Amino acid sequence: MIRTLNSPTLSVYIRNIQTIVPPNTYDQEFSRDKMIDWIGDAKSSRLVKKIYDHTEIRSRHSVLPDFLSTEEPVLFEGSGTPIATTAKRNAVFQSHARTMSVSAAQQVVESTKGVNFSDITHIITVSCTGFYNPGPDFDIINELGLNRAVQRYNLGFMGCNAAFPALRMASQFCKADEDALVLIVCIELCSLHVQVDRSKDRMLANALFSDGVAAVLVSAKSPSAGEASLEMVSFSSALLDEGQDDMAWTIGDQGFDLKLSSYVPKIIGSKIKDLISKKLNALGCHEDKIDHWAIHPGGRSILDKICKELVLDESQVKESRAVLRDYGNMSSATILFVLRKLLDSRTTKESKVCSLVFGPGLTVDTILMNLIPSS
């Protein structure tokens, strides 16, 4: 097992992860062809096709029932001209975030052995795709009958890496109070912020992002018999000295504006070997001792670059590849979809996991974990 020499002996576990997606599923080819229709000119259309066909994404999910202008909510005219203000888009977020966050929270509690709604002591909500207050935490408490003294926290607008600061916060709560049971809910409805223009950055973002919600239970109590878990051992965070202008997330008048440069994989790839080696060496470990690499599948190029730099076998990143293929990039919720696949992998022996996420800045967050099998 990975152990830090100076850490407290109290272990903290990811006890369960449950994920949900909206019912509307779009094949990547459909999304590509619709964007080509909206873009219009031949030169830009060729670039759209190249970008979409390179993603290795097969399908994505959205709360939007129709990307055409025939059903509400209407974000675009038939030409692709945006007509929905940020306020209108956020109203759609609020409507769906209420129901989806409650549903995910209910599923994760009801599917965890020996846990009741009344046991939850802290709620951490995470999103960079919408805001309202009272927020999803309030809805979860009211709809599921949680203790009204539950401590509530929100991590807003951090980006794709935000699940890891939430997990670090949960771990700290549990180490301060052995009876703490922390519920984390990441709600990301990225499709509400689709923008139609001819910039390469925008085309890339449109080709990758999608909607999803993940709920997690974190506790210092040992998992029940027959329950797979992830023991969180060590956290680290690094802010790279370049890339500030290559991934950025701001609020515009017609949705949130994402800048996502095609240079991001190159920047991360040039730094990742040194970052990981230093992290593992400090723990007396090495890359070849890691069994599973749970990497945020921000895009195919990021996964390809990291696999090359760390000399990883495809079997070590199969969960990340699968999530990218079937769901696309759901911002902060995405890595929790990957970790859930590890929990569901039915492995029969304890194994080491190194998990990585990336966010604006550029930020690289890491958690080293032990995957504990259910039997």
Side-chain angles (χ1 to χ4, degrees), residues 18 25 74 83 87 119 152 158 166 187 193 222 289 301 308 372 374:
Q18 292 295 313
T25 307
V74 179
I83 59 176
D119 297 329
R152 297 178 291 149
M158 288 191 70
I187 314 113
H193 302 289
S222 299
K289 300 298 182 182
S301 296
K308 179 180 178 181
I372 302 173
S374 58

Side-chain angles (χ1 to χ4, degrees), residues 30 44 53 68 128 163 167 189 193 215 239 252 263 271 281 284-286 310 315 338 340 347 369:
F30 171 87
S44 297
D53 291 350
L68 303 174
C128 69
L167 286 169
L189 307 182
H193 302 289
L239 186 62
Y263 291 106
K271 306 291 184 180
N281 287 340
C285 191
H286 190 270
L310 298 181
S315 64
V338 176
R340 182 187 174 180
T347 181
M369 295 177 273

